[in-house]
Amino acid sequence: MSRQAAAEARWLTRASLDQGRPLTEGEREQRIKEVAYFRAQRRGFAPGHEIEDWLAAEEEIDNIPRFFQ
């Protein structure tokens, strides 16, 4: 596993175990920014995909299972 993939896996694990409470708007937005950045990084930051990255990141964050709810 590459260092980048390992970092993403650690981040997603942390994101999915958010102590059983809903994300605040600020937490949600920060996580979306981070996921969109990871997506852009995987593409080598090629321009023209910013909105696509953001929308995909929103969907990914909004669909992470929340435990203990």
Side-chain angles (χ1 to χ4, degrees):
M1 179 181 287
S2 72
R3 292 179 79 176
Q4 178 181 344
E8 288 181 43
R10 283 191 306 275
W11 184 88
L12 287 172
T13 298
R14 176 183 59 84
S16 66
L17 298 172
D18 62 9
Q19 307 305 314
R21 62 176 174 72
L23 295 175
T24 66
E25 275 302 309
E27 291 169 332
R28 179 179 176 272
E29 184 174 339
Q30 182 61 38
R31 291 181 183 182
I32 291 168
K33 287 177 184 178
E34 291 170 352
V35 171
Y37 177 86
F38 289 145
R39 292 178 62 82
Q41 187 177 43
R42 282 194 301 263
R43 272 195 343 285
F45 298 103
H49 299 277
E50 296 82 4
I51 293 173
E52 177 185 323
D53 290 341
W54 186 269
L55 294 175
E58 281 185 331
E59 185 170 336
E60 186 173 333
I61 292 302
D62 290 344
N63 289 310
I64 290 176
R66 304 285 183 242
F67 297 102
F68 311 112
Q69 286 189 352

